[in-house]
């Protein structure tokens, strides 16, 4: 689907969805929709109906519709219309070298060398300014439909991230919840579950929430204050939550929030979700009032929720009895007046009406599509067009596309039928190779010696305005050659044979054909130096990595050769290939400290967090003991942007040492990890690995103070406490970290654990009581009781 057609579909979804929801809003405002269940059914149909009706218009093309409206025009670069008539598998790459800029750059003095990822950026980016301008022009000339798609995609990703954050928050709530142990309340709960036909429901207590909430998985969380209410109020609140579970509201809410995250562009979708939330609350109020026979008890409970909703804490995917934006006062008034809404279900006709409206929208509402108009631009001077044709292969294809400085190479290969295409462009020449079938070469690589039955091959080079082409085929079991120069067939003279003898090695070099055997031939001919000379000429990252892999896999190199080889490895731009080559060298060769340090310096050029972490994990055990290697290793780990990958790498280093100083170095590397969970995971691993908890306690406690989540900070500090006894300095550091925990519950839990492991020291005891003094009465008494200092 093109960007224009995708934009048309999204615009159609916006039109249909917005129209349906506007219709439901008008029906509500005019009083034509009064029954709560009917209003809920109508809003759900309207919310999801825009996507359904737009999709049906695509599937049911023969149905006559009002019309297809073309809106605005989408400008495309010159040449797009001509390419559109070709196979959709045709892609283009354009390179526009600038002679004047090249001459100016040749006269300029060489710049100072750079290292790390900045150096890799310099290598991978074209040096001449016109290439930068080409990318800038491509961005500026994006059609408005592409900008719209990009904006929609970015907004959807942000909302999906919020949805996932809500799911993790939900998991966090469940993890902190405590099962109920009060026998009377559990009996009351079981009776309510049986009465409301929700027999699999579970209940747990979580004091930090302000309102009971219903969660997916048939679970209900309740705050402690609700359990202390009179029985009639408590039963009404619990019945309300059971009504949510019976109706499946937690699943509906999660599904609709996910839908809105993807189709956030539909107008009124947020309003529709809020209306559905309000209607669900009214329905559950009615269920609870009808089941308990008294709406006043639930109204009194709602009033208590109003008082506590300022510190409301829950996941967006949970369904709460009282949310900050719900019409609590209106609900309470309805219950106090004794006139809760009807629980009557909508009639068959009422249910069919939204479906009928949806069907009518498919026929009457138009579809929208941008009209594509190709812009007419003058071609840029000295612009060379490279067309690469992708095949529809039955097996997996290996593709490589690389642009390094003035060189562009594309390789398409299909192992299913031995079909390969190579396109190479640089400032000097263009080379095109197309072969089908198995190729055999002369021992001196001067020509193709054999070709499989019904196989074909062609090699064409343009250099200095002269185009040479050699075609190979098989006839009557014999290899046939046809040579052309500037399109004219000519005899295969000495000049042609000399050209073929020069072009075949370049073909083998770039494609990786017979790479293992070629490495052995070069090594037998001139040792590692001969192989190095061949590798230095290879442009393809994949092929260069293959040659290096064959070399180090079969031959043990001396340290000087390994240093030279690392210089060649540094020329690989592909993160995947670079990591594979370095890992291969690390496992097959005996590198000394200096070469290992060079390897880590080369590894710093890897941009991919995953590839960088994979190499760090592989080299952790050799880098842990040596201070210089460890410093370089940790510098690379700090450069990993992904919190997950950095945590994974650092944990591999933690497993290699128990030395307090080395663990402290790793602690410093956790500073820039933003994820509280990932940082806590590394800290906990350090605590477990440590043989002297007191020695690392000051730096460890300081690291935990950079954890924002009170729960994660408490768990991290508990891991340190479980690692061993603490002395004066260690206990004081942990107490200082505990003082920064805002949650009274988490702070009290940590203080109780500290009380069991802290030394008998007056200063430590005073600091303990000072931290405990900031807690609420109940939590403070628990903390003081743990140390034996309860007042009164």
């Amino acid at each position: 689907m093109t960007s224009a057609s995708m934009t048309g579909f999204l615009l159609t979804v916006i039109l249909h969805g917005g129209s349906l929801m506007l219709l439901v809003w008008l029906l509500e405002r005019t009083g034509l929709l009064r029954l709560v269940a009917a209003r809920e059914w109508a809003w759900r149909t309207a919310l999801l109906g825009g996507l359904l009706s737009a999709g049906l218009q695509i599937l049911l093309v023969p149905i006559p519709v009002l019309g297809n409206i073309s809106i605005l025009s989408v400008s495309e670069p010159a040449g797009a219309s001509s390419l559109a008539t070709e196979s959709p598998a045709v892609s283009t790459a354009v390179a526009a070298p600038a002679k004047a800029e090249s001459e100016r750059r040749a006269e300029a003095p060489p710049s100072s060398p750079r290292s790390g990822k900045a150096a890799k950026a310099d290598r991978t980016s074209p040096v001449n300014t016109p290439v930068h301008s080409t990318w800038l022009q491509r961005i500026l000339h994006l059609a408005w439909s592409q900008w719209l798609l990009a904006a929609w995609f970015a907004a959807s990703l942000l909302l999906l991230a919020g949805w996932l954050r809500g799911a993790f928050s939900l998991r966090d709530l469940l993890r902190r919840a405590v099962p109920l142990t009060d026998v009377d309340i559990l009996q009351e709960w079981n009776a309510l579950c049986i009465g409301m036909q929700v027999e699999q429901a579970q209940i747990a207590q979580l004091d930090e929430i302000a309102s009971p909430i219903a969660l997916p998985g048939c679970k209900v969380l309740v705050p402690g204050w609700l359990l202390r209410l009179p029985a009639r109020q408590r039963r009404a609140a619990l019945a309300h939550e059971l009504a949510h579970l019976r109706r499946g509201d937690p699943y509906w809410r999660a599904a609709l929030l996910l839908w809105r995250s993807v189709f956030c562009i539909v107008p009124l979708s947020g309003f529709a979700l809020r209306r559905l939330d309000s209607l669900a609350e009214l329905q559950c109020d009615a269920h609870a009032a009808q089941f308990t026979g008294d709406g006043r008890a639930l109204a009194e409970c709602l009033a208590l929720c109003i008082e506590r909703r300022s510190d409301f804490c829950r996941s967006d995917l949970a369904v709460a009895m009282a949310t900050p934006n719900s019409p609590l006062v209106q609900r309470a008034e309805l219950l106090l007046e004794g006139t809760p809404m009807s629980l009557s279900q909508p009639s068959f006709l009422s249910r069919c009406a939204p479906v009928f409206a949806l069907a009518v929208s498919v026929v009457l509402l138009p579809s929208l599509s941008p009209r594509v108009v190709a812009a007419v631009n003058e071609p840029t001077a000295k612009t060379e067009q490279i067309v690469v044709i992708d095949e529809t292969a039955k097996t997996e294809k290996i593709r490589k596309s690389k642009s390094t400085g003035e060189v562009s190479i594309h390789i398409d290969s299909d192992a299913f039928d031995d079909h390969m295409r190579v396109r190479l462009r640089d400032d000097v020449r263009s080379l095109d190779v197309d072969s089908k079938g198995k190729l055999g070469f002369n021992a001196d690589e001067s020509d193709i010696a054999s070709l499989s039955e019904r196989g074909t091959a062609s090699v064409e080079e343009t250099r200095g305005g002269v185009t040479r082409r050699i075609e190979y085929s098989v006839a009557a079991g014999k290899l046939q050659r046809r040579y052309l120069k500037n399109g004219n067939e000519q005899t295969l003279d000495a000049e042609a044979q000399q050209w073929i003898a020069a072009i075949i090695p370049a073909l083998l070099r770039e494609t990786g054909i017979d790479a293992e055997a070629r490495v052995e031939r070069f090594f037998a001919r001139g040792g590692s130096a001969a192989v190095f000379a061949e590798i230095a000429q290879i442009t393809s990252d994949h092929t260069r990595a293959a040659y290096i892999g064959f070399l180090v896999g079969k031959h043990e190199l001396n340290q000087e050769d390994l240093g030279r080889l690392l210089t060649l490895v540094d020329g690989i731009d592909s993160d995947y290939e670079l990591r594979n080559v370095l890992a291969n060298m690390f496992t097959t060769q005996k590198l000394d400290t200096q070469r290992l340090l060079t390897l880590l310096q080369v590894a710093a050029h890897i941009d991919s967090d995953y590839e960088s972490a994979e190499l760090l994990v592989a080299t952790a055990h050799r880098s842990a003991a040596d201070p210089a290697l460890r410093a370089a290793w940790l510098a690379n780990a700090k450069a990993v942007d992904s919190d997950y990958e950095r945590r994974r790498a650092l944990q591999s280093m933690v497993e290699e040492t128990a030395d307090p100083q080395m663990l402290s170095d790793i602690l410093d590397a956790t500073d820039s990890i933003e994820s509280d969970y990932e940082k806590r995971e590394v800290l906990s691993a350090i605590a477990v690995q440590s043989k002297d908890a007191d020695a690392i306690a000051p730096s460890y406690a300081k690291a935990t103070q950079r954890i924002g989540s009170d729960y994660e900070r408490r768990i991290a500090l508990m891991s340190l406490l479980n690692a061993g006894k603490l002395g004066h300095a260690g206990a004081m550091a942990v107490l200082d970290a505990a003082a920064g925990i805002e949650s009274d519950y988490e702070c009290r839990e940590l203080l109780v654990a500290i009380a069991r492991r802290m030394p008998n020291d007056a200063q430590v005891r005073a600091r303990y009581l000072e931290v405990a003094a900031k807690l609420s009465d109940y939590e403070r008494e628990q903390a003081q009781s743990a140390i034996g200092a309860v007042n009164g």
Side-chain angles (χ1 to χ4, degrees):
M1 182 179 287
T2 64
S3 62
S5 59
M6 185 64 182
T7 305
F9 175 72
L10 289 176
L11 292 175
T12 304
V13 172
I14 291 174
L15 175 64
H16 288 207
S19 300
L20 289 172
M21 282 186 278
L22 181 61
L23 175 63
V24 175
W25 179 80
L26 290 173
L27 291 175
E28 265 197 331
R29 295 291 293 178
T30 55
L32 297 177
L33 275 178
R34 295 188 178 183
L35 196 62
V36 175
R39 289 150 63 190
E40 191 174 30
W41 171 252
W43 274 113
R44 283 179 180 172
T45 304
L47 186 62
L48 303 175
L51 176 62
L52 182 60
S53 62
L56 286 175
Q57 280 197 347
I58 295 177
L59 296 176
L60 306 177
V61 176
I63 292 182
V65 296
L66 182 63
N68 182 289
I69 301 178
S70 298
I71 55 173
L72 301 179
S73 297
V74 181
S75 296
E76 293 189 351
S81 58
S82 62
L83 287 174
T85 62
E86 301 288 342
S87 169
V90 176
S91 60
T92 62
V94 180
K99 180 178 180 181
E101 179 65 19
S102 300
E103 294 174 351
R104 184 193 62 78
R105 188 173 64 253
E107 297 172 359
S111 58
S112 59
R114 301 177 69 189
S115 62
K117 295 184 179 180
K120 178 175 180 182
D122 291 341
R123 295 198 312 272
T124 56
S125 300
V127 181
N128 50 340
T129 304
V131 175
H132 292 287
S133 301
T134 300
W135 282 107
L136 181 60
Q137 290 170 0
R138 289 181 183 177
I139 294 175
L140 294 178
H141 284 85
L142 285 177
W144 68 267
S145 62
Q146 294 171 317
W147 283 112
L148 178 62
L149 286 177
W152 165 70
F153 185 70
S156 296
L157 282 182
L158 289 175
L159 290 175
L160 283 172
W163 190 90
L164 290 174
R165 186 171 60 250
F168 285 120
S169 176
L170 190 67
R171 184 190 65 176
D172 193 45
L173 291 177
L174 289 171
R175 184 172 54 185
R176 297 202 299 269
V178 180
L180 291 185
T181 57
D182 191 304
V183 177
D184 294 335
I185 295 180
L186 287 176
Q187 289 179 349
E188 180 182 278
W189 171 257
N190 292 331
L192 284 170
C193 291
I194 295 172
M196 299 194 69
Q197 300 177 352
V198 193
E199 299 183 4
Q200 300 298 322
Q202 303 175 27
I203 187 171
Q205 180 180 347
L206 186 61
D207 291 336
E208 64 189 71
I209 59 176
S211 165
I213 54 178
L215 308 175
C218 212
K219 297 177 182 178
V220 171
L221 298 183
V222 295
W225 64 264
L226 186 138
L227 300 176
R228 296 189 290 270
L229 293 178
R232 53 188 290 273
Q233 296 180 0
R234 184 173 61 244
R235 289 182 73 250
L238 296 178
H240 177 97
E241 298 307 315
L242 284 173
H244 277 304
L245 297 181
R246 182 177 178 180
R247 288 164 35 88
D249 286 338
Y251 296 104
W252 268 109
R253 181 176 181 83
L256 292 176
L257 281 174
L258 181 60
W259 179 93
R260 188 188 177 234
S261 298
V262 178
F263 292 97
C264 55
I265 56 173
V266 178
L268 298 178
S269 57
F271 177 79
L273 287 177
R274 291 192 295 272
R275 289 296 301 134
L276 284 170
D277 286 343
S278 299
L279 294 171
E281 296 299 331
L282 292 175
Q283 285 281 74
C284 292
D285 287 346
H287 275 285
Q290 186 182 72
F291 182 80
T292 60
D294 182 13
R296 297 183 66 85
L298 182 59
E300 293 167 358
C301 191
L302 288 175
L304 294 174
C305 289
I306 295 174
E307 297 176 2
R308 290 170 169 80
R309 67 177 179 176
S310 60
D311 59 346
F312 191 74
C313 174
R314 70 177 179 92
S315 167
D316 288 339
L317 302 186
V319 181
M321 186 178 76
T323 65
N325 297 321
S326 64
L328 285 174
V329 177
Q330 177 189 3
R331 291 167 54 195
E333 289 177 351
L334 288 173
L335 291 166
L336 289 173
E337 292 170 0
T339 57
M341 66 301 301
S342 172
L343 281 174
S344 301
Q345 294 299 313
S347 64
F348 177 75
L349 291 177
S350 298
R351 286 182 175 272
C352 288
V355 179
F356 177 74
L358 182 61
V360 170
S361 68
V362 176
V363 179
L364 294 184
L365 289 178
S367 61
L368 302 175
S369 63
R371 180 164 50 88
V372 181
V373 179
V376 179
N377 294 327
E378 292 296 328
T380 305
K382 297 184 180 179
T383 296
E384 180 182 19
Q385 189 178 53
I386 307 166
V387 179
V388 181
I389 303 177
D390 296 334
E391 303 168 41
T392 55
K394 297 181 181 179
T395 57
E396 181 181 2
K397 291 185 290 185
I398 304 170
R399 299 186 186 89
K400 176 147 185 77
S401 176
K402 175 182 176 182
S403 178
T404 308
E406 304 293 342
V407 179
S408 175
I409 178 170
H410 303 260
I411 301 175
D412 291 345
S413 65
D414 183 359
F416 182 78
D417 57 0
D418 294 315
H419 197 171
M420 178 181 65
R421 286 188 174 113
V422 180
R423 306 288 185 266
L424 186 145
R425 302 292 186 272
D426 56 30
D427 289 340
V428 177
R429 65 172 178 175
S430 66
L431 177 65
D432 297 270
V433 181
D434 194 327
S435 69
K436 188 172 184 179
K438 291 187 179 298
L439 301 175
F441 300 87
N442 295 336
D444 59 358
E445 299 179 354
S446 61
D447 197 0
I448 294 177
S450 64
L451 189 60
S452 59
E453 191 68 24
R454 292 187 298 276
T456 60
S458 66
V459 181
E460 180 176 297
E461 182 190 45
T462 300
R463 182 195 295 260
V466 179
T467 299
R468 294 179 175 86
R469 179 181 177 88
I470 180 72
E471 298 176 350
Y472 299 86
S473 60
V474 177
K478 294 184 179 180
L479 184 65
Q480 305 291 326
R481 297 174 177 82
R482 181 169 177 258
Y483 174 67
L484 299 94
K485 185 175 181 180
N486 291 330
N488 300 316
E489 186 171 356
Q490 297 187 7
T491 58
L492 198 60
D493 55 13
E495 180 191 2
Q497 292 177 350
Q498 184 179 3
W499 170 74
I500 295 172
I503 211 69
I504 293 300
L507 169 64
L508 295 173
R509 182 182 302 127
E510 294 299 341
T511 59
I513 296 175
D514 204 26
E516 186 173 5
R518 292 192 82 228
V519 168
E520 291 305 304
R521 288 199 296 269
F522 279 108
F523 193 87
R525 187 185 308 162
S528 58
V531 182
F532 292 163
E534 181 68 9
I535 293 174
Q537 300 179 67
I538 298 175
T539 306
S540 165
D541 285 343
H542 175 74
T543 307
R544 178 176 285 207
Y547 274 63
I548 295 173
F550 290 132
L551 175 62
V552 300
K554 290 192 174 183
H555 302 280
E556 184 175 343
L557 306 180
N558 58 44
Q559 299 302 317
E560 182 180 354
D561 283 345
L562 288 172
R564 294 179 60 193
L565 186 58
L566 284 169
T567 303
L568 294 173
V569 170
D570 198 21
I572 296 177
D573 297 318
S574 165
D575 292 333
Y576 171 78
E577 301 294 354
L578 182 56
R579 188 263 296 178
N580 272 344
V581 169
L582 292 176
N584 202 0
M585 289 184 63
F586 180 79
T587 55
T588 60
Q589 300 295 310
K590 298 177 181 178
L591 289 87
D592 60 15
T593 301
Q594 182 58 45
R595 250 50 64 176
L596 279 173
L597 189 60
T598 304
L599 185 146
L600 291 173
Q601 291 170 349
V602 173
H605 299 154
I606 298 176
D607 288 330
S608 166
D609 292 334
Y610 171 78
E611 303 297 349
S612 183
E614 284 287 289
L615 186 63
L616 289 170
V617 170
T619 57
H621 69 280
R622 286 285 305 275
S623 306
D626 187 276
L629 290 176
R630 187 170 68 252
W633 192 98
L634 289 173
N636 286 6
K638 291 177 181 178
V640 175
D641 294 327
S642 166
D643 290 338
Y644 170 77
E645 299 297 351
R646 188 184 304 175
R647 185 262 294 176
R648 191 162 66 90
L650 290 176
Q651 279 187 319
S652 69
M653 177 63 80
V654 170
E655 294 171 359
E656 301 297 331
T657 180
D659 180 71
Q661 180 57 49
M662 294 167 65
L663 292 177
S664 295
D665 292 343
I666 300 173
L667 281 170
D668 293 339
T670 66
D671 286 353
S672 54
I673 297 180
E674 297 181 359
S675 167
D676 292 337
Y677 171 79
E678 304 296 353
K679 183 175 292 188
R680 189 262 295 172
E681 283 284 293
V682 179
L683 295 179
S684 296
I686 292 174
V688 171
Q689 190 72 7
S690 173
K691 304 301 182 184
D692 188 354
D694 191 57
I696 67 168
S699 57
Y700 187 99
K702 183 179 179 181
T704 64
Q705 292 179 6
R706 291 183 285 271
I707 297 179
S709 166
D710 291 336
Y711 170 79
E712 300 293 356
R713 186 186 300 186
R714 193 256 296 177
I715 294 297
L717 290 169
M718 292 282 282
S719 298
L720 179 65
L721 295 175
N722 294 332
K725 284 276 187 181
L726 298 179
H728 173 84
M732 291 294 287
V734 173
L735 286 170
D736 289 342
I741 297 179
E742 297 181 0
S743 168
D744 290 350
Y745 171 80
E746 302 294 352
C747 186
R748 185 259 296 173
E749 286 285 295
L750 180 60
L751 288 176
V752 170
I754 294 173
R756 302 186 186 124
R757 295 170 176 81
M758 71 183 198
N760 187 14
D761 184 294
Q763 189 176 0
V764 173
R765 180 183 177 86
R767 179 56 175 157
Y768 179 100
L769 294 175
E770 181 183 352
V771 175
K774 75 181 185 68
L775 304 178
S776 62
D777 293 343
Y778 174 78
E779 307 293 356
R780 183 175 63 253
E781 289 177 2
Q782 294 292 316
Q784 291 175 343
S785 176
I787 202 175
V790 179
N791 294 329

